[in-house]
Amino acid sequence: MGFNNAEPLPQDEAEKRLKEHFPGLLLQDEKLDMGFKAIRDEYYFTSHRILVVDVHGISGKKVEYQSCPYHAIKAFAIETAGSLLDTDSSLKVYGGIAMSIEFDKDKVNIFEIQKYMSGHIFSNLVEDRMASEEPAPYKTETKAEGGKTKTMLDYLANDSVRLEEGAVENELGGIGALIPGEKVELAYKCGRDMVVCTSKRVMYMDTQGFSGKRVEFLSLRYSCIKAYEVETAGGILDRDATFNLFTNISEDRKCLRTDLRKGQSDIMEVLWYFNNKLLGADTLSKEESVPLAAASNATNTAWSWLSDDMSQIDANLVNHHFHTSQPLLQGNEVCEVAFKGRRDLVLFTNKRMLFVDVQGLSGKRVSYCTIPYTSIKMFQVATAGGGMDKDCEIGIFTEVWFIPSPPGDNPPPPEPGMSYVEFDVNKHTTDILGIFRYLAAKVYTLQDGNPGIYPDLEDHSHQFMEKPFEASPPGAMEKLMNYIGQDLSQMDPREIEEVLSIGGASPVLDFDEKVLMAFKCGRDFTIFTSKCILDINVKGVTGKKKEFRSIPYSSIRSFSTEASGSFDRDSELKISLNTPWEAEMKRDFSAGKSDIVSIQALIAAKTLGAPGRPSDFANDNTIKKSGEPGNMEKIIAFLGDKHLQIDPKTVEQKFKIELPILQADEDVELAYKHGRDMFVVTTKRVLNIDVQGLRGKKVEFESFPLKNITGFSVQSAGTLSRTVKARLFVSALKGAPDQVFDLKIEKEFSKKDVDIFELNNSLASKILVTAHHQI
């Protein structure tokens, strides 16, 4: 056995250990399925989560209990043992709480772990999950026998390219890698590696090492694929076509690349498959669509079609071209807006943005990159500046991880990659405000309640579907620039809505979008609408370049507001986002001219609620006032009381009546005080109240919606420690330009005042029970 490889615990012993050593750790309806023990740490797989008991310190008195819900797991990988000297197999988990567990290969069948994880992550039916908990259809591998692992290695060693689905399904079914009802739909092999697309997931099998005995099996949800790209083979010396999947799994898994041998595989079949999986079913079958695309001379056609600068062109002509001469669009897909450059093309269809990139001198290698509208989490447009600047800019933000700076001294800055995609368009041929409204119509329609896979667009009818692009009125941009240029400190929402709504002088808003609050700071604007936070940023010395950015409320992971202190003129709003390239937004507001509590209440109304559904008050556009003057001082005095006995009902009344932070239907379940700060668990969020400054006159209210918490842990006190600890995990984005942006909250409490298992159960009862996959 390796130094710290986990060995299985007998079922009755595992249950006994949990009940005796960790009473109250499991929920009442939570069932223990498997348990494993390493030197000091323990790992439990229950019906709701992976539970890790992590022992710290020399004495082992400090113990952290980490909970990773299955619904928060984006992907997982198992890795078989390699050579005879390799004593461990392993499990890696992406999403929730990222973790890696090493098992003793002689005592743990790693494929049973794979089967169990598949059942809990990819099964929608209880019956399927129960079947996945049954033993795999083979006995545990030992050193003396290869078992099914050797059979799979032999299969991977064959020199196949396009694999027959039935054969692959039999091999994977033989090792228990598929769940009941899961079908292999597409399979390719490149060298010793394999890519398998099933009805439930994408699987990557990576054969490693000289002997090839160590194999990694990576399984990921289709909903983690945020963009995809196929690239045709180039000239005579270029033998391979490629397809890339861009994901939000982790920084090192941001792009999964597969090479396909030219002449032995059809790249257009891959494109057709992922179009159907991520954009919705095509009206053309594979037999109808793929031969058409393969028969067209794609590269020559692209050469003749693409020329001159990036300018807006007739979408009807482009739509006809990509349905006939170069049939890349689905039968039920319509190109609504198009731009062409010297050799490149950008299409806005009713389902996606499609980038056509002609590469190399010959132009025979062509890339087709798709970003579904569901993957766009934030977007912006920028007007042209003065002088020689003749281009406007269009930018979109996704959940794909960016390319970090390499290690070393004076490294170059990070690159956005597919995390942020920007392109320039000719200002003389482009209605940039019309493009902004067009993107708003697409993105807002598909935000809340979307299961991750692109929905049937017929169920999301929108007036822009029949009238996809509506031109702005003459002089709209000039009128908007004049309006922004006024020296305003606060704005009337009705007045600015009249200017910015469709039918107004400078239409920026979506057709049913309302302006709720609006503020101006210097030359810039922050406008809170019924659908997004709209930022208007005036750039440059002349101020001629204006950037319009839309941040949909559904992209917010957490938010905090900071009340003004005694010598501080400003209140502050901080928002964390699910876009790695720009993971945080901060705005200062003038004290006395902005109601920061009302801003907090508005964002809460648009973000709090059950996972996978619109927020509870999504359609409530009422602005809540902060209450009577002096109430903030009362709250500060309340928090500063050293002898305060915490009662959840008292806290609830304080933050509903005196300072309306909580919503009307939001209940406080637990409240803890540590020093001047307070930690509150409600039915909708975790609220962290941080009293700052020597005089305690500045207070930050930080809200973490429960639906965005992907994992949590509680930690007992050590031998000499008087505090216990709780941690909540929300995101592990590496925000640019900072190399690390780990969004979590970590709080310490007096061990005599807090029962960590009571806190654990309160969090578990809300975070573990959801069936919605947090992706």
Side-chain angles (χ1 to χ4, degrees):
M1 174 181 171
F3 175 70
N4 200 34
N5 293 341
E7 300 180 359
L9 287 170
Q11 184 80 7
D12 54 350
E13 180 181 340
E15 291 183 356
K16 181 180 179 181
R17 288 180 64 83
L18 280 178
K19 291 179 180 178
E20 292 181 358
H21 295 275
F22 321 118
L25 190 59
L26 300 183
L27 297 175
Q28 287 188 348
D29 62 342
E30 191 171 5
K31 173 176 164 286
L32 175 63
D33 295 323
M34 296 186 294
F36 302 90
K37 190 176 188 311
I39 298 299
R40 297 204 304 175
D41 301 336
E42 299 173 26
Y43 309 93
Y44 297 95
F45 293 77
T46 79
S47 54
H48 292 62
R49 59 181 150 176
I50 301 175
L51 178 61
V52 179
V53 181
D54 186 9
V55 180
H56 298 275
I58 297 176
S59 67
K61 294 290 186 180
K62 182 179 292 186
V63 182
E64 183 178 11
Y65 307 89
Q66 301 177 4
S67 295
C68 178
Y70 295 119
H71 64 72
I73 296 176
K74 300 175 181 179
F76 72 92
I78 63 161
E79 193 172 272
T80 62
S83 63
L84 294 176
L85 299 179
D86 193 354
T87 62
D88 63 286
S89 54
S90 64
L91 167 69
K92 296 179 182 178
V93 174
Y94 301 90
I97 301 177
M99 61 177 61
S100 178
I101 305 173
E102 294 184 346
F103 300 95
D104 186 332
K105 73 172 184 178
D106 296 326
K107 298 181 179 180
V108 177
N109 186 343
I110 195 62
F111 286 105
E112 288 187 3
I113 303 295
Q114 201 266 0
K115 180 184 178 184
Y116 179 89
M117 293 290 292
S118 297
H120 282 272
I121 295 173
F122 299 108
S123 293
N124 296 322
L125 300 177
V126 175
E127 293 80 5
D128 291 345
R129 289 197 294 272
M130 292 176 63
S132 71
E133 295 166 10
E134 296 296 325
Y138 57 93
K139 57 184 178 180
T140 301
E141 176 188 344
T142 65
K143 291 181 180 178
E145 55 187 355
K148 291 293 182 179
T149 303
K150 184 177 185 300
T151 303
M152 176 55 68
L153 291 176
D154 292 340
Y155 184 71
L156 288 174
N158 291 332
D159 191 20
S160 304
V161 179
R162 171 70 163 85
L163 303 177
E164 199 276 318
E165 292 87 355
V168 176
E169 191 171 310
N170 289 335
E171 292 295 331
L172 293 177
I175 62 172
L178 303 179
I179 63 174
E182 186 175 10
K183 299 295 181 183
V184 173
E185 298 175 337
L186 191 65
Y188 283 92
K189 184 170 175 290
C190 181
R192 299 188 301 174
D193 303 332
M194 188 191 301
V195 181
V196 178
C197 301
T198 79
S199 54
K200 298 286 187 179
R201 59 181 141 174
V202 181
M203 299 178 67
Y204 281 82
M205 295 165 212
D206 180 16
T207 305
Q208 305 170 1
F210 181 78
S211 66
K213 290 185 177 181
R214 179 173 283 273
V215 182
E216 182 189 60
F217 295 77
L218 172 69
S219 296
L220 68 143
R221 306 181 193 271
Y222 284 106
S223 55
C224 293
I225 301 172
K226 300 304 177 181
Y228 55 97
E229 175 186 46
V230 299
E231 194 173 273
T232 63
I236 297 175
L237 299 179
D238 190 357
R239 301 178 61 195
D240 294 333
T242 63
F243 73 90
N244 300 316
L245 301 181
F246 301 97
T247 79
N248 67 343
I249 296 174
S250 66
E251 189 276 324
D252 61 321
R253 303 277 190 175
K254 59 182 172 291
C255 179
L256 303 174
R257 177 185 175 95
T258 303
D259 293 326
L260 300 179
R261 186 61 48 82
K262 182 169 65 174
Q264 300 182 51
S265 57
D266 192 341
I267 193 68
M268 304 314 293
E269 179 187 29
V270 177
L271 180 61
W272 179 90
Y273 181 83
F274 281 99
N275 283 345
N276 276 264
K277 275 295 181 185
L278 300 176
L279 301 180
D282 195 347
T283 53
L284 295 178
S285 66
K286 181 176 68 173
E287 290 72 22
E288 293 173 314
S289 177
V290 173
L292 286 174
S296 67
N297 191 340
T299 57
N300 289 338
T301 308
W303 262 106
S304 61
W305 178 256
L306 306 176
S307 61
D308 302 322
D309 296 329
M310 187 67 79
S311 301
Q312 190 168 345
I313 57 176
D314 189 338
N316 292 324
L317 293 178
V318 178
N319 185 66
H320 177 75
H321 175 85
F322 283 104
H323 277 104
T324 55
S325 301
Q326 195 177 351
L328 296 175
L329 302 183
Q330 293 183 303
N332 56 354
E333 188 175 8
V334 179
C335 178
E336 298 174 335
V337 181
F339 296 90
K340 75 180 182 74
R342 185 164 299 280
R343 296 205 297 174
D344 302 333
L345 191 69
V346 180
L347 278 63
F348 293 78
T349 80
N350 59 328
K351 296 188 175 188
R352 58 174 157 172
M353 291 180 66
L354 176 62
F355 297 83
V356 182
D357 181 16
V358 181
Q359 304 171 3
L361 293 175
S362 67
K364 291 186 177 181
R365 177 173 282 272
V366 183
S367 163
Y368 304 96
C369 182
T370 290
I371 301 179
Y373 291 121
T374 47
S375 296
I376 300 176
K377 301 305 177 182
M378 189 163 66
F379 59 93
Q380 65 186 32
V381 301
T383 64
M388 301 298 292
D389 188 2
K390 66 175 184 177
D391 292 330
C392 300
E393 298 165 2
I394 301 173
I396 59 171
F397 298 81
T398 74
E399 293 177 89
V400 179
W401 292 64
F402 64 89
I403 304 169
S405 298
D409 297 332
N410 299 317
E415 299 178 10
M418 291 298 294
S419 184
Y420 173 67
V421 179
E422 181 183 272
F423 60 98
D424 297 339
V425 293
N426 191 310
K427 70 177 181 180
H428 299 297
T429 62
T430 304
D431 180 357
I432 198 65
L433 294 184
I435 295 298
F436 188 87
R437 293 195 307 275
Y438 176 86
L439 280 172
K442 300 299 185 186
V443 174
Y444 299 160
T445 303
L446 300 169
Q447 288 297 316
D448 293 308
N450 174 42
I453 303 301
Y454 206 94
D456 182 356
L457 290 186
E458 293 181 359
D459 295 336
H460 293 270
S461 59
H462 195 285
Q463 73 173 34
F464 281 90
M465 295 300 178
E466 295 185 2
K467 193 173 184 181
F469 186 82
E470 183 172 320
S472 302
M477 181 58 69
E478 290 75 11
K479 293 176 182 177
L480 181 57
M481 295 303 98
N482 292 335
Y483 183 77
I484 290 176
Q486 297 180 55
D487 188 15
L488 304 175
S489 58
Q490 53 186 331
M491 305 168 66
D492 182 356
R494 292 171 295 181
E495 179 183 338
I496 195 168
E497 182 179 320
E498 184 178 344
V499 174
L500 300 183
S501 62
I502 292 179
S506 303
V508 172
L509 305 178
D510 195 14
F511 78 103
D512 59 349
E513 191 172 6
K514 304 294 183 184
V515 173
L516 306 180
M517 304 177 77
F519 304 92
K520 187 178 183 188
C521 182
R523 300 188 301 175
D524 303 332
F525 284 74
T526 299
I527 301 172
F528 296 87
T529 80
S530 54
K531 297 186 177 184
C532 76
I533 300 175
L534 175 61
D535 258 0
I536 303 177
N537 184 13
V538 181
K539 296 187 170 185
V541 177
T542 64
K544 290 185 176 181
K545 191 174 189 68
K546 311 294 191 303
E547 180 183 85
F548 301 84
R549 174 179 293 181
S550 173
I551 306 173
Y553 293 114
S554 57
S555 298
I556 296 175
R557 305 296 292 171
S558 70
F559 57 96
S560 70
T561 54
E562 193 174 275
S564 299
S566 55
F567 298 103
D568 195 340
R569 295 185 57 220
D570 295 332
S571 300
E572 187 177 56
L573 168 68
K574 290 190 291 188
I575 293 175
S576 65
L577 304 165
N578 59 0
T579 49
W581 188 246
E582 190 131 354
E584 191 175 48
M585 181 192 101
K586 294 182 180 180
R587 291 293 179 271
D588 290 328
F589 298 94
S590 297
K593 294 184 178 180
S594 61
D595 189 339
I596 196 68
V597 176
S598 296
I599 294 174
Q600 188 278 155
L602 171 60
I603 297 176
K606 301 299 182 182
T607 57
L608 299 184
R613 297 204 303 267
S615 58
D616 294 341
F617 294 93
N619 298 319
D620 183 1
N621 296 323
T622 306
I623 300 301
K624 310 294 189 299
K625 299 300 181 183
S626 59
E628 297 295 327
N631 280 357
M632 177 61 75
E633 287 73 13
K634 294 179 182 178
I635 290 296
I636 291 175
F638 172 72
L639 295 171
D641 185 355
K642 296 181 180 180
H643 305 290
L644 176 65
Q645 297 295 317
I646 296 296
D647 175 36
K649 289 301 178 185
T650 301
V651 174
E652 182 178 319
Q653 289 299 106
K654 288 284 183 182
F655 292 113
K656 279 187 175 181
I657 298 175
E658 290 189 8
L659 199 69
I661 297 291
L662 303 181
Q663 295 181 331
D665 61 344
E666 187 175 6
D667 299 327
V668 173
E669 293 193 354
L670 292 175
Y672 303 106
K673 197 168 182 293
H674 186 64
R676 299 183 302 178
D677 303 337
M678 189 175 290
F679 184 85
V680 181
V681 180
T682 80
T683 50
K684 294 188 177 186
R685 68 178 126 182
V686 171
L687 178 63
N688 182 46
I689 304 173
D690 181 17
V691 180
Q692 304 171 357
L694 292 176
R695 300 180 60 185
K697 297 297 184 181
K698 180 177 287 190
V699 183
E700 181 182 16
F701 299 90
E702 191 173 19
S703 293
F704 294 85
L706 290 172
K707 66 180 182 181
N708 293 335
I709 297 176
T710 60
F712 61 93
S713 71
V714 295
Q715 181 178 291
S716 62
T719 304
L720 302 178
S721 175
R722 293 183 294 177
T723 60
V724 295
K725 185 183 294 184
R727 290 197 296 169
L728 305 178
F729 299 84
V730 179
S731 175
L733 299 179
K734 293 187 176 181
D738 299 328
Q739 289 297 293
V740 177
F741 181 83
D742 192 7
L743 181 58
K744 64 176 179 285
I745 180 174
E746 187 171 302
K747 295 296 291 184
E748 291 186 348
F749 312 95
S750 171
K751 68 179 181 182
K752 64 181 180 63
D753 295 331
V754 176
D755 181 346
I756 61 170
F757 292 118
E758 178 188 42
L759 176 57
N760 173 84
N761 279 355
S762 178
L763 295 172
S765 64
K766 300 169 186 60
I767 297 170
L768 300 184
V769 296
T770 177
H772 178 74
H773 296 316
Q774 297 192 13
I775 54 175

